[in-house]
């Protein structure tokens, strides 16, 4: 095969990366281009989600990578590190930079950084319809001339302009034109070029473009600085000298000077490319004022969070009831009585499937669907913004409220969704708080033990106690886990009607990953615990736990077995109690014991699925520490509650 044939074949397989700020419609562009041909996974060695899709366009087989939404190529977050390493080392054929037409200047700050990366680029000016409503029209030809790259306007939610976008992209990938350099102010530009020449003369092959390395060195990027210092003292000395010169001229730090240069250039380009027409206050803007109002904003935030939970539990309870009726033939049996493997498989394997279908799916799918609607409409960012100050009390910022709400449906997807947070510390703190959040299964235990056999007010009191525990332990964890809290940087995009296609695809993507993790663990874990119980292994363990369960918590001896079963699946606490004493719990447990058992089950070691995802995200050391904190808090608070309640009842 000759070289021409090799070249023709290579042109049939292109890799395109979508890059841009959050909430610019990048994911909508990705979904519209790739349809159902998507794979959702993790970046190698990272917990950041990677979305990859396939597209066949006019004879070209194209792989589309949806990079995380970021604002810069700094090292402040894992998303930024992932994106810049991908650009430098994977070298996509073309990068499509998606920008929001209504906030062009703000988005161009990142566009200029992409230009610094020296990558073939097409700018996709998205949401031009929303910009037009605000009285903004983008002159794409002018923008194209100033940036020196192809520019296409689109309305991705309606598919408008996407065909032209792909035509320009494929054309650029085949031609590989020379990339125009965007120059900054003379004092800064002169030193960038001088430093670039020094880097090239030293043959520093870091994988990144020399000009980009020069800019990052002047910005004092810690990773690039460390790489260069280990290889060239000459470059390091040059960086120091030039940084001092720039700081003396501008009387401020170099990183601030370069940021100002970018903003100045972005402002100039946006001013030239934007055509301003008559501005009318839109319904979206009125809604925005309501959601960010210093008083009504909190009311709306509480209404959204309450509505999300109400929707999840009402709809989830309805479908759970239907599915429970469909599986009404399933009744757990005591494997000690039958002593057969069939009963172990019936209780464990099939019981795991029933629990997954009747408890996880009905609550998780409605939650994810509504979460996608709230997220894509722009409502969720306002809620996060309003909740920011409250969340900072436990070392988190407003975005952490999103996974914590999800925890009320199921802790597993909630911990998985902490990936939206910027640092490992924030994800760890949020996940720790989530393990104390009463999921659907814990709610079943609380309602089944307390609401039915004591009263609804004591059941509600347990939720209040749980919130207090989350706050107190969150404050303690904030002091124990090393690191500093970060501020909230979030794009408040315009309100828009969410795309149903994007909602359904997002919901299925999230639900699918949950099903693949939860169902196998439910089935295997349930069967294993049932087998241990049938073979009499759990009874000695229950006897060992007696000083805690009987002596400290004031519960019956069999409570140890209930807690062990609850560590597999929280609702097993209730199901196993039925198998042991029947359905009239009040005949065997006092009101105090019912409340204490529900409280301990609420705070006790997370279920096996939650432990599995904690281990996947943070490793076994952190998982062990979180589980130990859960166990200790359950025992301490449960024992105190028993003594206090004994004075009340």
């Amino acid at each position: 095969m000759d070289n021409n044939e090799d070249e023709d074949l290579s042109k049939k397989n292109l890799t395109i990366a979508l890059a841009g700020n959050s909430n610019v419609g990048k994911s909508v562009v990705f979904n519209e281009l790739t349809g159902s041909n998507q794979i959702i996974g993790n970046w190698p060695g990272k917990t950041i989600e990677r979305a990859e899709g396939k597209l066949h366009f006019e004879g070209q087989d194209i792989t589309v990578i949806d990079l995380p939404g970021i604002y810069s190529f700094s090292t402040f977050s894992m998303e930024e590190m992932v994106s810049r390493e991908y650009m430098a080392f994977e070298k996509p054929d073309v990068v499509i930079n998606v920008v929001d037409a209504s906030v062009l200047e703000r988005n161009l700050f990142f566009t200029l950084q992409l230009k610094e990366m020296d990558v073939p680029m097409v700018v996709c000016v998205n949401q031009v319809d929303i910009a037009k409503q605000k009285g903004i029209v983008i002159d794409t030809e002018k923008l194209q001339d100033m940036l020196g790259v192809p520019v296409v306007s689109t309305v991705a939610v309606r598919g408008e302009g996407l065909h032209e976008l792909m035509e320009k992209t494929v054309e650029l990938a085949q031609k590989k034109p020379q990339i125009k350099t965007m120059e900054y102010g003379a004092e800064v530009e002169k030193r960038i070029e001088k430093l670039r020449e020094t880097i090239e003369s030293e043959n520093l092959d870091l994988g990144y473009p020399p000009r980009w390395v020069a800019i990052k060195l002047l910005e004092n990027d810690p990773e690039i600085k460390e790489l260069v210092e280990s290889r060239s003292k000459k470059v390091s000395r040059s960086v120091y000298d030039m940084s001092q010169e720039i700081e003396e001229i501008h009387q401020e730090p170099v990183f601030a000077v370069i940021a100002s240069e970018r903003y100045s250039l972005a402002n100039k380009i946006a001013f030239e490319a934007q055509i301003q027409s008559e501005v009318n206050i839109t319904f979206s803007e009125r809604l925005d004022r309501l959601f960010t109002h210093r008083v009504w904003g909190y009311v709306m935030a509480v209404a959204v969070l309450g509505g999300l939970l109400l929707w999840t539990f009402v709809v989830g309870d309805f479908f759970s009831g239907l599915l429970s009726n469909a599986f009404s033939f399933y009744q757990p049996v005591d494997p000690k009585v039958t002593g057969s493997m069939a009963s172990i498989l019936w209780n464990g394997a099939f019981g795991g499937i029933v629990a997954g279908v009747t408890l996880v799916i009905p609550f998780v799918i409605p939650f994810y669907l509504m979460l996608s609607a709230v997220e894509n409409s722009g409502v969720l960012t306002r809620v996060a913004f309003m909740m920011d100050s409250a969340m900072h009390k436990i070392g988190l910022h407003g975005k952490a409220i999103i996974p914590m709400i999800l925890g009320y449906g199921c802790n597993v997807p909630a911990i998985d969704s902490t990936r939206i947070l910027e640092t490992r510390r924030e994800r760890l703190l949020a996940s720790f708080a989530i393990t104390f959040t009463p999921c659907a299964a814990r709610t079943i235990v609380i309602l089944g033990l307390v609401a039915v056999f004591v009263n609804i007010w004591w059941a509600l009191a347990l939720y209040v106690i749980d919130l207090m525990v989350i706050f107190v332990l969150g404050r303690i964890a904030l002091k124990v886990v090393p690191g500093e809290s970060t501020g909230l940087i979030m794009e408040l995009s315009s309100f828009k009607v969410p795309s149903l296609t994007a909602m359904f695809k997002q919901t299925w993507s999230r639900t699918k990953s949950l099903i693949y993790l939860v169902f196998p663990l439910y089935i295997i874990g349930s069967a294993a615990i049932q087998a241990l119980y049938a073979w009499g292994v759990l009874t000695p363990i229950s006897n060992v736990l007696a000083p805690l369960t009987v002596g400290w918590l004031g519960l019956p001896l069999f409570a140890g077995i209930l807690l062990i079963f609850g560590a597999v699946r929280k609702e097993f606490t209730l199901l196993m109690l039925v198998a042991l004493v029947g359905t009239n719990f009040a005949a065997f447990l006092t009101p105090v014991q019912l409340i204490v058992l529900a409280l301990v089950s609420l705070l006790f070691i997370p279920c096996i699925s939650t432990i599995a995802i904690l281990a996947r995200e943070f490793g076994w050391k952190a998982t062990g520490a979180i589980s130990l904190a859960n166990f200790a808090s359950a025992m301490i608070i449960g024992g105190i509650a028993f003594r206090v309640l004994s004075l009340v009842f």
Side-chain angles (χ1 to χ4, degrees), residues 108 140 174 420 433 457 572 618:
L108 286 178
T140 53
Q174 292 173 341
I420 65 172
W457 302 111
F572 260 18
F618 306 107

Side-chain angles (χ1 to χ4, degrees), residues 519-545:
F519 272 70
L521 287 171
Y522 263 15
I523 294 166
I524 296 168
S526 301
I529 289 292
Q530 290 285 335
L532 292 174
Y533 174 67
W535 299 333
V537 176
L538 296 186
T539 302
I541 298 175
S542 184
N543 292 334
V544 171
L545 292 174

